[in-house]
Amino acid sequence: MIRSILHKGAKLLNPRCLSSSSPLPQKVAISKFDQNHFINYEKLKESLDVVRNRLNRPLTLCEKILYSHLDDPSGQELIRGESYLKLRPDRVAMQDATAQMAMLQFISSGLRKVAVPSTIHCDHLIEAKVGSVEDLNRAKDLNEEVYDFLSSSSAKYGVGFWKPGSGIIHQIVLENYAYPGLLLIGTDSHTPNGGGLGGVLIGVGGADAVDVMAGLPWELKCPKVIGVNLTGKLNGWTSPKDVILKVADILTVSGGTGAIIEYHGRGAESLSCTGMATICNMGAEVGATTSLFQFNHRMSNYLKATGRSDIAHLAEKHSDLLTSDNGCEYDRCIEIDLDKLEPHVNGPFTPDLAHTISKLGSAAVENDWPLDIRVSLIGSCTNSSYEDMTRAASVAKQALSHGLKAKTTFTVTPGSEQIRATMARDGIDKPFNDFGAIVLANACGPCIGQWDREDVKKGEKNTIVTSYNRNFTGRNDANPATHAFVASPEIVTALAIAGDLRFNPLSDTLTGSNGEKFKLEVPVGEELPQKGFDPGQDTYQPPPSDDSDVFVKVDPKSTRLQLLEPFSAWNGEDIVDAPILIKVLGKCTTDHISAAGPWLKYRGHLDNISNNMFLTAVNAENKEMNKVKNQVTGEYGPVPETARYYKANHIPWIVVGDSNYGEGSSREHAALEPRHLGGVAVIVRSFARIHETNLKKQGILPLVFENSSDYDKVQPSDKISLLNLNGLAPGKAVQCQLKHADGSTETITLCHSMNETQIEWFQAGSALNRMKQLMEQQ
């Protein structure tokens, strides 16, 4: 990280596809919020033609979009799973929790303005407690300092700012910025939501966003492509959510790592645009780089309904650019027959533990999961569209017609101000209110742990069902004993009526208030509102044309915001006898490394938020959380406290982890915190994509056991030496010496995926440090 960089970055800036100065055969503004930014399919086609002539083979859709955004189409190496692509994304989107660190890093760069269209969306800091109005007002008071910082820095550096209450970043992007053929990076792992509109939208860490905002090419390992052929047609209770829940069952939480999932086939015609977005959104749960659908009439309908008819017509004219070529090859093929697909409920504790609704009850009994459902929650970035809300409301109406209400606590989260306003205008909120729902603010809320839950005590075993995307241990309410299950909004609503995990709405009956039994009918929803969308309140702040009166201030005494100091560069020496801070046992997501919930308030203050590091990771030595041995004093204590001891005594330390380490959220704090507290390397069986990149960006060595079983050779009391680092090179293994407590040693081999540029990041101390070096050389 860099506190100040001389403003010599003119050569870095390359606002490709930004202005109207380039000749455009058709001038189509991306949205009413981007009247100076236009789609240029002809320019993309020119770049793609260069690649086509080189490869001379049919291309998948994701290849077309990525290769048409190459910085150097004629010279870029193009080998799936191997080459590092240098790309020019069209825009950047950031949510408020990650935007704080991203903007602090951008300010550190010394650049005057962002080089590509960028937006910040205030959706993560609003805690669910009472209801939408009260919770929003409370959030504005509690987070005033952070919102002021984001608002002023947006205005100063040319970033669009969506105020608190606007809605969830991914829904706002889908409604306003996403379009077929778009390449967007977003500082949130569920950025792929926009693939429902036929674009390549990829979740990244804040440092990646800074690169793009600075006008640098963005680097991505050329992904493999998984093709999912959808046949048949959705029917009955089955929904788009069930498609991705089934894919999670097939691929597991790591099966999509290093790949883009591309959906195709006639079955896609039975999915709405927002339904396709739901499927793409949850591709993050299988580790996929992103997911997308081929351009079709459902996307055109959505673009027209959201005031972008010009884009729809332009996309229709360039449909050959926005669909895959006949005969294109996928690295893996999956087929799902929608005619036979049954509603799914996945969980608990992991989104890939799949159950069909007909088998959920028996699985719950067999595994002794709590059958009584305490809370049912619908919404989140995954399932808060107009169609989702209307299908769930149709289930609620049926219950009301028989004199029933929700037996559980029931919450509803509209995805955006536009969805909320349209629901209110069309009367969709009434059945929810009559059903006993608590309507929450247009924000992430309980989905990301922003939930002041009071009905259970921490450690109390209980069950909740949600239409969210993640259900890791403690994810929603910080209670490790909460069993969270993920399903479609309509299934969640049906389960709320019964209040029992064994209820199957496809076959079971309910008893009305008059004592008569009845069976729920298939839910009915509306893909798009017949009267069009109501935009609701204006919550967007555009960048001013003149920012001379705009000042960005960070109080040195603030507990919420902190200017950044650069990390120290590598000293050129091997890492010798480094203690292991923690050897993590089993699943270790970014939630385990850097918890969200109440810690979100410190996302702009690196030192304060570092006190949450590894709080819920399980120590392999004692099977406990947040209790590790200080290898110098011999005493046991909290993980952050132990790390701070090592740092104060200039002792570099290492983390050892298991498979798919760092899965889940894109939060770069899971890399920043270990770096800030003195970590130098993370050694694991395998990494999740975004987290591995984030570690590289911050100058931490991400290393993988050549032999997976070597994980078992490492003892928590070992001292680790990483040797011959002066010879660190792409594809060259790292020799690691383990010194056991009894004095014996053994050597194991570690692999890495760093290319030459990423090795330079390590040597400079971080990617931002390397950026400074390059700027000073100009």
Side-chain angles (χ1 to χ4, degrees):
M1 294 172 294
I2 308 166
R3 188 162 190 170
S4 63
I5 293 179
L6 297 176
H7 183 48
K8 299 180 180 178
K11 293 182 182 179
L12 294 175
L13 304 180
N14 182 11
R16 183 178 178 272
C17 304
L18 269 189
S19 71
S20 57
S21 58
S22 302
L24 294 172
Q26 289 182 284
K27 249 186 177 182
V28 177
I30 291 172
S31 80
K32 64 181 180 181
F33 303 108
D34 275 317
Q35 289 299 309
N36 295 320
H37 302 136
F38 305 98
I39 299 175
N40 191 346
Y41 285 134
E42 294 296 334
K43 176 63 176 175
L44 298 181
K45 190 174 184 302
E46 287 177 13
S47 296
L48 186 61
D49 285 344
V50 174
V51 176
R52 277 191 182 282
N53 291 332
R54 292 177 54 200
L55 296 180
N56 194 30
R57 63 171 174 80
L59 300 176
T60 66
L61 173 58
C62 62
E63 286 181 311
K64 288 184 178 183
I65 297 175
L66 289 176
Y67 298 166
S68 64
H69 286 81
L70 288 170
D71 186 51
D72 179 16
S74 61
Q76 172 71 62
E77 181 185 69
L78 299 168
I79 303 174
R80 287 186 192 173
E82 296 183 20
S83 305
Y84 278 89
L85 306 180
K86 290 192 178 296
L87 301 161
R88 291 285 181 177
D90 298 306
R91 66 182 309 119
V92 173
M94 299 169 280
Q95 41 95 334
D96 50 355
T98 52
Q100 295 172 61
M101 194 59 65
M103 291 307 293
L104 286 166
Q105 292 177 85
F106 184 80
I107 290 170
S108 297
S109 75
L111 296 171
R112 183 68 186 85
K113 292 287 183 182
V114 295
V116 301
S118 303
T119 51
I120 290 174
H121 305 258
C122 295
D123 63 357
H124 269 56
L125 299 179
I126 302 170
E127 185 179 51
K129 184 174 184 179
V130 180
S132 58
V133 176
E134 299 90 337
D135 293 346
L136 179 58
N137 289 335
R138 179 166 170 261
K140 288 179 178 178
D141 290 339
L142 290 175
N143 303 305
E144 182 179 10
E145 178 186 13
V146 172
Y147 290 147
D148 285 348
F149 167 74
L150 293 175
S151 174
S152 60
S153 59
S154 293
K156 190 68 177 177
Y157 295 100
V159 176
F161 180 70
W162 289 84
K163 301 173 186 177
S166 301
I168 305 172
I169 176 174
H170 313 302
Q171 184 67 28
I172 298 293
V173 167
L174 194 72
E175 292 173 353
N176 299 281
Y177 301 114
Y179 60 84
L182 169 73
L183 176 60
L184 175 150
I185 65 167
T187 59
D188 190 281
S189 58
H190 292 104
T191 299
N193 188 79
L197 258 178
V200 169
L201 290 83
I202 301 176
V204 299
D208 278 331
V210 173
D211 280 354
V212 177
M213 290 191 294
L216 293 169
W218 173 61
E219 190 174 74
L220 174 73
K221 193 169 189 177
C222 189
K224 295 184 178 181
V225 190
I226 298 173
V228 179
N229 182 29
L230 300 179
T231 63
K233 183 179 181 180
L234 279 184
N235 60 87
W237 281 84
T238 307
S239 73
K241 184 63 164 268
D242 301 305
V243 176
I244 186 58
L245 294 179
K246 179 61 179 177
V247 170
D249 178 36
I250 295 170
L251 291 178
T252 76
V253 291
S254 60
T257 302
I260 289 179
I261 302 176
E262 187 169 301
Y263 293 87
H264 58 94
R266 295 183 65 85
E269 297 296 324
S270 67
L271 306 174
S272 65
C273 177
T274 52
M276 290 186 278
T278 290
I279 294 168
C280 293
N281 178 295
M282 270 195 71
E285 270 46 77
V286 298
T289 300
T290 192
S291 304
L292 78 164
F293 279 79
Q294 315 276 324
F295 176 69
N296 63 20
H297 73 280
R298 296 294 187 106
M299 297 180 191
S300 284
N301 293 341
Y302 185 79
L303 286 167
K304 294 169 185 176
T306 50
R308 294 173 288 171
S309 295
D310 287 347
I311 297 178
H313 297 316
L314 190 60
E316 289 164 1
K317 292 180 181 179
H318 292 84
S319 59
D320 60 326
L321 180 66
L322 306 172
T323 52
S324 60
D325 292 335
N326 291 329
C328 67
E329 295 185 0
Y330 296 103
D331 295 285
R332 178 176 178 181
C333 295
I334 297 170
E335 185 164 317
I336 297 177
D337 186 347
L338 301 182
D339 287 331
K340 299 178 181 178
L341 184 64
E342 187 179 343
H344 278 59
V345 181
N346 287 19
F349 305 124
T350 184
D352 61 342
L353 182 58
H355 319 277
T356 58
I357 187 68
S358 60
K359 296 181 179 178
L360 174 64
S362 58
V365 172
E366 181 180 346
N367 290 282
D368 193 29
W369 298 328
L371 301 175
D372 177 45
I373 301 170
R374 300 293 290 270
V375 189
S376 307
L377 310 98
I378 67 170
S380 88
C381 65
T382 315
N383 280 107
S384 55
S385 68
Y386 187 80
E387 182 181 42
D388 288 325
M389 295 293 113
T390 54
R391 280 177 66 89
S394 77
V395 177
K397 287 178 182 177
Q398 293 183 57
L400 293 169
S401 70
H402 290 275
L404 300 182
K405 294 186 177 183
K407 188 172 287 186
T408 72
T409 298
F410 185 75
T411 71
V412 177
T413 305
S416 67
E417 169 60 12
Q418 180 166 275
I419 296 296
R420 182 210 63 78
T422 306
M423 287 173 60
R425 183 201 64 195
D426 295 347
I428 298 170
D429 54 349
K430 186 179 188 308
F432 285 137
N433 292 332
D434 294 344
F435 191 59
I438 301 170
V439 179
L440 301 175
N442 314 321
C444 299
C447 182
I448 59 161
Q450 283 286 52
W451 184 13
D452 188 3
R453 188 180 181 191
E454 298 179 343
D455 64 302
V456 296
K457 296 179 181 178
K458 192 169 184 178
E460 182 181 343
K461 194 175 177 181
N462 74 102
T463 284
I464 65 173
V465 291
T466 83
S467 70
Y468 301 165
N469 41 48
R470 290 204 173 122
N471 57 348
F472 302 143
T473 303
R475 164 80 177 184
N476 304 123
D477 61 1
N479 180 5
T482 293
H483 293 54
F485 295 84
V486 178
S488 67
E490 48 267 47
I491 290 292
V492 170
T493 306
L495 290 172
I497 302 168
D500 194 303
L501 211 54
R502 293 168 293 187
F503 177 67
N504 179 0
L506 282 69
S507 59
D508 298 342
T509 59
L510 295 163
T511 303
S513 59
N514 60 2
E516 295 182 4
K517 292 187 178 298
F518 70 97
K519 184 179 174 183
L520 291 172
E521 298 177 0
V522 171
V524 177
E526 296 181 51
E527 179 179 351
L528 297 166
Q530 295 179 6
K531 300 178 183 178
F533 284 108
D534 183 336
Q537 300 178 37
D538 183 5
T539 55
Y540 177 68
Q541 170 191 293
S545 56
D546 180 4
D547 64 13
S548 57
D549 294 332
V550 179
F551 297 95
V552 182
K553 295 182 179 180
V554 176
D555 186 346
K557 299 179 181 179
S558 173
T559 61
R560 300 287 301 272
L561 297 165
Q562 180 186 47
L563 291 175
L564 301 174
E565 297 288 345
F567 291 134
S568 58
W570 175 53
N571 62 9
E573 300 177 359
D574 288 343
I575 296 168
V576 178
D577 289 343
I580 297 171
L581 176 67
I582 182 172
K583 180 183 179 182
V584 180
L585 179 67
K587 184 185 285 283
C588 188
T589 71
T590 50
D591 285 70
H592 293 89
I593 305 168
S594 175
W599 291 96
L600 283 172
K601 69 172 72 77
Y602 299 121
R603 282 283 181 88
H605 197 293
L606 181 55
D607 192 59
N608 282 347
I609 198 171
S610 293
N611 290 320
N612 78 349
M613 190 179 69
F614 290 109
L615 293 187
T616 58
V618 177
N619 182 5
E621 179 188 17
N622 53 19
K623 311 299 188 296
E624 296 187 49
M625 292 187 291
N626 200 30
K627 186 176 181 181
V628 296
K629 185 177 182 180
N630 184 317
Q631 299 300 327
V632 176
T633 67
E635 299 177 353
Y636 283 86
V639 183
E641 182 180 300
T642 306
R644 288 186 185 278
Y645 176 92
Y646 291 149
K647 179 180 180 180
N649 288 276
H650 309 289
I651 301 171
W653 48 264
I654 289 172
V655 170
V656 175
D658 214 316
S659 300
N660 205 32
Y661 179 90
E663 70 174 276
S665 170
S666 68
R667 68 193 65 166
E668 64 178 342
H669 294 76
L672 281 163
E673 292 173 33
R675 184 73 167 96
H676 174 64
L677 294 185
V680 291
V682 177
I683 305 171
V684 300
R685 282 178 163 146
S686 65
F687 283 105
R689 175 190 64 85
I690 299 177
H691 185 63
E692 182 180 22
T693 299
N694 287 342
L695 291 171
K696 294 175 183 178
K697 287 279 186 179
Q698 304 306 335
I700 291 181
L701 289 172
L703 304 171
V704 177
F705 294 107
E706 183 179 60
N707 297 312
S708 182
S709 60
D710 285 349
Y711 168 89
D712 298 316
K713 293 181 180 180
V714 180
Q715 303 303 311
S717 58
D718 285 351
K719 291 185 177 180
I720 294 180
S721 296
L722 302 177
L723 307 175
N724 303 318
L725 293 182
N726 273 311
L728 190 64
K732 183 178 180 181
V734 173
Q735 294 304 302
C736 172
Q737 184 185 77
L738 305 177
K739 183 182 291 185
H740 302 307
D742 62 5
S744 63
T745 63
E746 57 184 311
T747 300
I748 61 175
T749 302
L750 305 175
C751 302
H752 68 86
S753 63
M754 291 180 288
N755 59 25
E756 291 181 359
T757 297
Q758 294 165 347
I759 290 172
E760 289 173 354
W761 296 345
F762 164 70
Q763 293 167 340
S766 71
L768 277 174
N769 285 4
R770 181 56 181 156
M771 184 196 294
K772 178 181 179 181
Q773 292 174 352
L774 293 173
M775 292 175 71
E776 291 176 342
Q777 291 170 10
Q778 292 186 16

